[in-house]
Amino acid sequence: MLSDFLYRNKTGVSLVFCLTFSIVSMAWKGNGVSRLLVGVKNLGTGVSSAFTGLGQSVRGLWNSLEDYQNVLERAEALQKQLKQNDTLLADYKKLQSENQRLREELDFKPRVDYPTVRSEVLAVRLASIYKTIIIDKGGDHGIKPFMPVVGKTLVSGLDPKTGENRKYIVEALVGKVISVDSGNSVIQPLINHEFRAGVRMPGTRLWATLDGNSERPLQPVLRYISSFVTLNSDKARLPVVTSGKGGIFPPGILVGRIARDSLGKGAKVDLGHTGFKTAYIEPFIDIAALDTVVVILKKPHAWARKWPASKEVKAGQPEMGKLVVPDFSASELPGTSQYLQYLPGVLAEQKEMLQKKAEEKKKKWLAKQKAKKKSQPKQNQPGDSGQEPDEFTDVYLDEGPATNPGGPGGQPEPGTVGNPGGSPNPGGTANPGGASPDSGNQKKPGGAPGVNNNPPGGNQVTPPGNEKKTATPKPSTGKSPSPPPAKKEKPAANNNPAPDGGGP
Amino acid sequence: MFLEKLVIAIGLVLANVITGSGLFEIGGVNPDFILIFTIFFALRRGAFAGIWIGFFGGLLTDADIGLVVDPTGAETAKIGLHALAYSLVGFGFGRFLKNIYRESWAAATLVVLVGGFLARLLVYMNYNFFWGDIAGYSLLPTAAYSAVLAPMFFYSLAWLYKMEDPGEGF
């Protein structure tokens, strides 16, 4: 009966089965059947590789037998060659030393911070909905998920000594390992839509998130670029590197350059991300043409730390254990690294110390303001409403790219990205070091790392230190904080609105 | 009967390999040979064949993605993503177009263009629903490229399988 029914309605039953199976598999992402199917597929790949290997072995054996007749002749020839090799060995040593010298000249030094594994690329799957790269090294070689992967490439740049354009061999970001088998690994390239990494542009205020989920198939997008950052110069083509703040990638790995069409007006304001700018990036590495990669054997920072007993990884869980993100209490300081709370006593002490410091600064600042008011009783200061400035409550222990695009190392590069005067400017003052290319030669002295919103006026009262500060509005006196004036610097550009990117 | 199924299975695997190889890639766009295969058999053999060929072809494509370790350390697969879309397209084309479809260069192009777009739209929607946003997923370019290559593959497949319509059966 049932078989009759099934046979009569085989199309309908088949459709229902296929749809149900697919939907259940998608909803229950790690189910056994799915894993089995992937396993079968991998097995198929393994079997085909084994067949290929077997075929090659048989062919090799046959060739060896064919060549057996020539073995004696070869042996004779080899003996002669052996003598020649002595000479070659001397040449080899000479070349080796020359190579070493050239390496030093090229600044092409081997990576010393982490051990690495060089691997051949077996397949680059860019046609798939989930772009991956498969390499021929895996768990047997110490590779684990979330290890960074880089590749060697040629990058053109200016020689600091000669000032000429030349090519450098550099290591640039390829992606990260997302799955490991004993003999091979799967890499998530930076153009995969699930790829994310924190990046920055050294010497500038550009901090952003590199997002592979881009409309362009081969160009990832930089998100969360502060609206104060201006990408209006050719110098914004400086290389973008990993920030190292995410914990997965070491800092300073080259990623790519901002695409030319993303500079200037090309940098879109992303309304979906609360007004931050976005820009496309041209990776240094040509993923489609990769043949070898280097896996950096670096575990994420979180795993490198010792976990407290209560968070111990239990047997039966995945190799690295489930990452447990601790809950933040309301009193937690903003920006505090979540892992600091596992260091007993340290956080409490630091919190207390920083709060004390903040209190002291607050008192000093208020006293100074009072003294100023007394000395200038009738002069109204725009923006000075008598409210306590909230900058004293924001004390940062750690700074991230999204919250503080001008974080450590964020000193303004002359004429490149970064609009030092791009803060809200109620005083109607200008943007002295601002967005125009003309002002590019200005250099701000000692731009304190972490200070995002430099005051528009040069004589701004800014408490010292490394904390996040917001500019207190005050009328500008036209004094520029920049010491040497630029070639075409406009004198005291007061009352001119910032021409480009001058504030939100 | 079994031999025929075996030959179809081998064809599916070959189509999967060619799609994954990037042999026909132009400007980052690859044709979807599994889909051409599915639509071809759906139009020749009907809905039943369309469903199963689409389903297995989709499973092959999904298995290609492999297991991915997420930040929690759990391994997940994306099985069912293409299987659902291709089996639905196979069913739809076999059920509604089999009787009106007449072999021609233009017809082959048109059905693959429409089928390709629908299948990819379904995949895109499923991905968004189950996994999240995927901005760079190519909808129309891939469908159009597949459609351009479709007549050649339709004629090649027809010659390879030398099919006479066996009716609604598989």
Side-chain angles (χ1 to χ4, degrees), chain A residues 7 10, chain B residues 1 4 8 40-46 49 98 161-170:
Chain A
Y7 186 76
K10 61 180 181 182
Chain B
M1 201 68 172
E4 193 187 43
I8 289 173
F40 174 81
F41 279 97
L43 292 172
R44 300 294 180 111
R45 296 285 174 86
K98 180 177 181 286
Y161 290 99
K162 289 189 175 41
M163 263 183 280
E164 288 171 18
D165 190 353
E168 182 75 13
F170 178 45

Side-chain angles (χ1 to χ4, degrees), chain A residues 153-172:
Chain A
T153 187
L154 274 174
V155 172
S156 58
L158 288 176
D159 191 326
K161 290 174 188 169
T162 62
E164 289 173 2
N165 207 11
R166 55 169 276 203
K167 299 231 171 191
Y168 294 89
I169 301 169
V170 294
E171 275 184 351

Side-chain angles (χ1 to χ4, degrees), chain B residues 85-108:
Chain B
Y86 290 179
S87 52
L88 269 177
V89 167
F91 168 75
F93 277 57
R95 178 85 176 77
F96 302 111
L97 290 183
K98 180 177 181 286
N99 295 327
I100 57 169
Y101 177 77
R102 295 289 172 269
E103 191 76 57
S104 76
W105 180 88

Side-chain angles (χ1 to χ4, degrees), chain A residues 161-353:
Chain A
K161 290 174 188 169
T162 62
E164 289 173 2
N165 207 11
R166 55 169 276 203
K167 299 231 171 191
Y168 294 89
I169 301 169
V170 294
E171 275 184 351
L173 187 69
V174 171
K176 65 170 184 269
V177 177
I178 49 162
S179 182
V180 176
D181 206 346
S182 59
N184 53 45
S185 308
V186 181
I187 296 167
Q188 184 186 60
L190 72 167
I191 52 172
N192 181 299
H193 66 277
E194 287 187 357
F195 185 89
R196 306 282 185 280
V199 292
R200 68 188 185 96
M201 195 183 273
T204 71
R205 289 158 184 271
L206 182 90
W207 288 69
T209 300
L210 181 73
D211 189 347
N213 194 15
S214 162
E215 282 79 11
R216 298 182 185 176
L218 298 175
Q219 289 187 354
V221 66
L222 291 183
R223 297 196 195 281
Y224 300 107
I225 300 172
S226 166
S227 53
F228 302 130
V229 169
T230 323
L231 305 168
N232 61 353
S233 155
D234 267 358
K235 286 183 184 172
R237 295 272 295 167
L238 285 169
V240 172
V241 302
T242 52
S243 68
K245 293 283 177 184
I248 291 179
F249 301 99
I253 297 179
L254 289 169
V255 177
R257 286 195 177 102
I258 292 178
R260 286 195 185 278
D261 60 353
S262 286
L263 299 173
K265 289 178 182 174
K268 303 270 187 314
V269 173
D270 189 353
L271 296 174
H273 293 87
T274 60
F276 285 97
K277 284 181 183 174
T278 63
Y280 291 101
I281 196 162
E282 294 166 356
F284 285 133
I285 288 281
D286 181 3
I287 301 282
L290 268 182
D291 49 5
T292 56
V293 293
V294 176
V295 182
I296 302 172
L297 301 183
K298 173 196 174 295
K299 291 177 188 173
H301 288 338
W303 297 339
R305 289 177 188 275
K306 194 182 175 186
W307 289 87
S310 60
K311 306 283 179 188
E312 274 296 319
V313 177
K314 293 184 176 66
Q317 282 198 346
E319 194 172 6
M320 296 297 184
K322 201 170 180 178
L323 286 181
V324 183
V325 180
D327 296 326
F328 281 103
S329 61
S331 62
E332 194 68 67
L333 287 171
T336 303
S337 170
Q338 58 187 343
Y339 305 108
L340 275 177
Q341 65 178 291
Y342 292 134
L343 303 173
V346 171
L347 182 65
E349 279 175 23
Q350 284 199 349
K351 197 193 277 186
E352 205 175 315
M353 185 187 73

Side-chain angles (χ1 to χ4, degrees), chain A residues 31-103:
Chain A
N31 70 65
V33 180
S34 298
R35 296 166 74 94
L36 182 73
L37 278 166
V38 176
V40 168
K41 171 83 184 178
N42 288 344
L43 192 69
T45 312
V47 168
S48 68
S49 304
F51 272 116
T52 311
L54 190 67
Q56 282 173 345
S57 303
V58 170
R59 205 181 312 141
L61 187 66
W62 180 251
N63 290 340
S64 299
L65 285 171
E66 271 190 342
D67 291 342
Y68 183 69
Q69 299 296 325
N70 302 323
V71 167
L72 288 173
E73 290 170 24
R74 276 188 165 189
E76 211 170 302
L78 284 170
Q79 274 183 345
K80 283 181 185 173
Q81 206 173 354
L82 199 64
K83 286 177 185 172
Q84 290 176 354
N85 281 352
D86 289 339
T87 322
L88 285 174
L89 190 65
D91 288 347
Y92 168 74
K93 282 180 181 169
K94 191 179 160 189
L95 285 170
Q96 201 176 25
S97 64
E98 191 180 337
N99 187 25
Q100 182 64 31
R101 189 174 53 78
L102 286 170
R103 271 172 177 272

Side-chain angles (χ1 to χ4, degrees), chain A residues 410-449:
Chain A
Q411 292 198 7
E413 177 78 8
T416 63
V417 293
N419 179 3
S423 56
N425 193 0
T429 51
N431 175 5
S436 84
D438 290 344
S439 59
N441 293 329
Q442 285 189 344
K443 209 165 192 175
K444 286 184 82 85

Side-chain angles (χ1 to χ4, degrees), chain A residues 23 26-27 29, chain B residues 81 84 121-134:
Chain A
I23 291 168
M26 282 191 286
K29 290 159 190 163
Chain B
L81 182 66
L84 177 84
L121 188 66
L122 269 170
V123 169
Y124 178 75
M125 285 162 63
N126 280 333
Y127 200 97
N128 266 273
F129 186 76
F130 287 103
W131 286 280
D133 183 35
I134 174 165

